[in-house]
Amino acid sequence: MLRWIAIVGQLVAVSVASRAFGLQFNVGLCYLIIGTAVLANILAIFFYPENKRLTESEVLMFLLFDVGQLGILLYLTGGLHNPFAILILAPVTIAATALHLRSILTLGVITIVLITVVAVVHLPLRSADDIVLRVPTLFVFGFWLAIVIGVAFQAVYTQRVSEEMHTMSDALLATQMALAREQKLTDLGGVVAAAAHELGTPLATIKLVSSELSEDLSEDHLREDARLISDQADRCRDILRSMGRAGKDDMQVRSAPLLTVIEEAAEPHANRGKALVFERRPAETIELKEPIVYRKPEVIHGLRNLIQNAVDFADESVWITAKWSEDDILVRIADDGAGFPSHVLGRIGDPFVRRRRGDVSSGMRPEYEGMGLGLFIAKTLLERSGAELTFVNGADPFLEPGEHPERKGAVVEVIWPIERLARPVKETEQGLGQNVPLEA
């Protein structure tokens, strides 16, 4: 489609220049060169179906054809004395959007070489009075320099923007997958809890009746069958217990005290050789009751990622502090590790930012690639829940080792407005209500 637009533009430019303005140049040869573009597009339509995804080499081939075709047209129509020479930037911009660096460099170098040749060697463009239309040599040099700079700038700028977009797209996809996984785990927790609760009574009845039958029955084989029923009822009870929390949207596990939710988020990292210290207290002098908060999957997964990062880089301990006031809820995660490097503090939370300090991360967490995607997912999910995140270091980097405080490593503060996370007080004073089925 882009090539058809370019072909129409070329035909209009050649026709208007020759007929309306009377400019003298080899019109027939120009139409022939434009015809090659028409033929190339028609062949592409026949050989490539609309759902065909071109390979990188095929895209590069098409763009090289476009650059070459436009270069020949410029050669026939005055070279850089033709103001349409600026269009040579279009294929480079497209390449920078869709191709990798090697292909971009190849096309960019060829474009610069071609525009340099055309600037020196070209057929003159003449007016109707047979006057050669030329601009001053200094202007030609300036136009050539502007195109060369434009090729380089457009390639670098467009490629950088495109790479950022692709990176953010990949990171957001990973975030959505993480949230979906956490949502499934949360739903499963409600399912098992509801199943264990609702099957408890019938299993107890089966257990009781089978026990009485085993005592009353006189025949041995019937007594063994009754005992088998009792044993299987016990087995069903044990299976439900081993599955943990999990089945309908269980109102009992939909919300929990703030520290309980934090401990649930930290549970997978509790036995990894680092001490997890939990603290809770109101943020004000007035004694406030610990808020009951919703067990949102994005909150649990986001806090879990932050705690994982702290455990990965801590030397010995990680402190997880929960504070609350009448207006907001704060969770602070601090460790005694090396902290964040100062040069990436402003970029923490961007996807694919590597490492904390130096190259230590590969040795401290060999099972991770250290691409910063976990922090991006945590930041994205928590901000989606209404939180505001702050990343700082607990110690001044210019202090001597002996002057560092105990919590000298990275510190992450997560603050929610209380109405975004906590259940209203009126709801906490009422009954939980009936469990409702999960949505399909």
Side-chain angles (χ1 to χ4, degrees):
M1 181 60 65
L2 290 175
R3 185 177 285 114
W4 283 128
I5 295 173
I7 289 170
V8 172
Q10 291 172 359
L11 288 172
V12 171
V14 169
S15 300
V16 171
S18 60
R19 298 181 182 180
F21 295 100
L23 300 182
Q24 299 182 36
F25 55 93
N26 197 326
V27 178
L29 198 54
C30 287
Y31 282 136
L32 178 62
I33 299 303
I34 297 173
T36 60
V38 174
L39 181 61
N41 239 20
I42 293 175
L43 291 176
I45 291 173
F46 280 104
F47 286 102
Y48 295 99
E50 291 186 5
N51 61 352
K52 164 71 175 177
R53 304 295 300 179
L54 298 180
T55 65
E56 177 143 342
S57 59
E58 290 172 334
V59 175
L60 180 60
M61 178 187 65
F62 277 113
L63 293 176
L64 286 173
F65 172 83
D66 293 334
V67 169
Q69 189 252 4
L70 185 56
I72 296 175
L73 284 177
L74 292 176
Y75 166 78
L76 295 173
T77 55
L80 294 190
H81 299 277
N82 186 339
F84 287 100
I86 194 68
L87 295 178
I88 201 77
L89 294 175
V92 179
T93 304
I94 296 173
T97 303
L99 304 182
H100 292 99
L101 183 59
R102 184 176 180 179
S103 299
I104 298 171
L105 290 175
T106 301
L107 186 65
V109 169
I110 293 175
T111 301
I112 292 174
V113 170
L114 183 62
I115 205 69
T116 303
V117 171
V118 170
V120 178
V121 182
H122 56 268
L123 298 179
L125 192 63
R126 300 177 181 272
S127 67
D129 301 329
D130 202 29
I131 298 174
V132 176
L133 301 177
R134 302 180 63 87
V135 297
T137 304
L138 182 62
F139 280 28
V140 173
F141 174 74
F143 197 21
W144 171 84
L145 187 60
I147 292 177
V148 171
I149 294 174
V151 167
F153 178 79
Q154 286 287 95
V156 173
Y157 179 80
T158 308
Q159 197 271 340
R160 178 68 181 271
V161 172
S162 178
E163 183 180 356
E164 290 286 339
M165 292 174 61
H166 293 158
T167 298
M168 190 61 66
S169 177
D170 293 342
L172 288 174
L173 177 61
T175 303
Q176 293 172 350
M177 293 175 63
L179 180 58
R181 177 178 177 274
E182 192 66 38
Q183 183 68 59
K184 289 180 179 179
L185 291 176
T186 301
D187 291 346
L188 180 62
V191 172
V192 174
H197 178 267
E198 295 180 11
L199 292 177
T201 299
L203 285 175
T205 302
I206 294 172
K207 171 72 173 176
L208 177 62
V209 173
S210 60
S211 297
E212 292 178 349
L213 286 175
S214 64
E215 295 177 358
D216 296 341
L217 291 173
S218 57
E219 298 183 19
D220 292 339
H221 69 279
L222 294 177
R223 187 182 301 112
E224 290 299 324
D225 289 342
R227 288 175 180 171
L228 179 61
I229 293 173
S230 177
D231 293 340
Q232 293 304 308
D234 289 338
R235 185 182 177 190
C236 290
R237 177 199 62 198
D238 295 338
I239 291 173
L240 288 172
R241 285 180 179 176
S242 66
M243 291 173 68
R245 306 179 310 272
K248 289 181 180 176
D249 185 7
D250 199 314
M251 303 302 291
Q252 181 67 35
V253 298
R254 171 178 273 192
S255 58
L258 174 61
L259 193 64
T260 301
V261 173
I262 296 174
E263 289 174 345
E264 178 184 351
E267 183 180 0
H269 310 291
N271 298 313
R272 294 182 53 200
K274 310 293 174 64
L276 298 183
V277 182
F278 295 92
E279 302 172 340
R280 61 178 176 182
R281 56 180 180 272
E284 299 174 353
T285 55
I286 304 174
E287 188 67 25
L288 295 174
K289 187 177 180 181
E290 182 177 359
I292 305 298
V293 300
Y294 293 109
R295 294 180 60 257
K296 295 182 178 181
E298 57 266 35
V299 172
I300 295 175
H301 192 89
L303 291 176
R304 182 171 295 154
N305 277 10
L306 295 179
I307 294 169
Q308 172 186 311
N309 193 70
V311 171
D312 287 339
F313 290 97
D315 291 336
E316 296 179 357
S317 302
V318 175
W319 293 267
I320 305 170
T321 304
K323 290 186 178 181
W324 58 90
S325 67
E326 294 180 349
D327 299 319
D328 52 46
I329 294 174
L330 179 146
V331 175
R332 180 185 297 115
I333 302 169
D335 62 67
D336 58 354
F340 297 114
S342 56
H343 66 279
V344 299
L345 266 175
R347 297 183 57 209
I348 293 176
D350 289 350
F352 309 108
V353 175
R354 296 177 184 269
R355 299 181 178 87
R356 277 213 192 174
R357 287 193 190 276
D359 297 325
V360 297
S361 64
S362 59
M364 301 176 73
R365 46 192 290 178
E367 68 275 24
Y368 302 105
E369 295 183 8
M371 297 296 286
L373 189 57
L375 283 178
F376 170 80
I377 292 175
K379 185 173 182 289
T380 302
L381 293 180
L382 292 172
E383 287 179 343
R384 174 176 174 173
S385 70
E388 180 178 344
L389 279 75
T390 304
F391 299 89
V392 297
N393 285 323
D396 191 322
F398 299 104
L399 293 176
E400 295 295 330
E403 299 175 338
H404 285 165
E406 187 180 24
R407 307 181 189 189
K408 60 184 175 63
V411 179
V412 183
E413 285 192 351
V414 189
I415 302 177
W416 292 269
I418 197 164
E419 66 273 6
R420 294 296 300 270
L421 191 63
R423 287 182 59 187
V425 177
K426 291 183 179 180
E427 288 189 13
T428 61
E429 295 175 350
Q430 298 173 354
L432 294 176
Q434 186 176 2
N435 293 334
V436 295
L438 293 169
E439 296 181 1

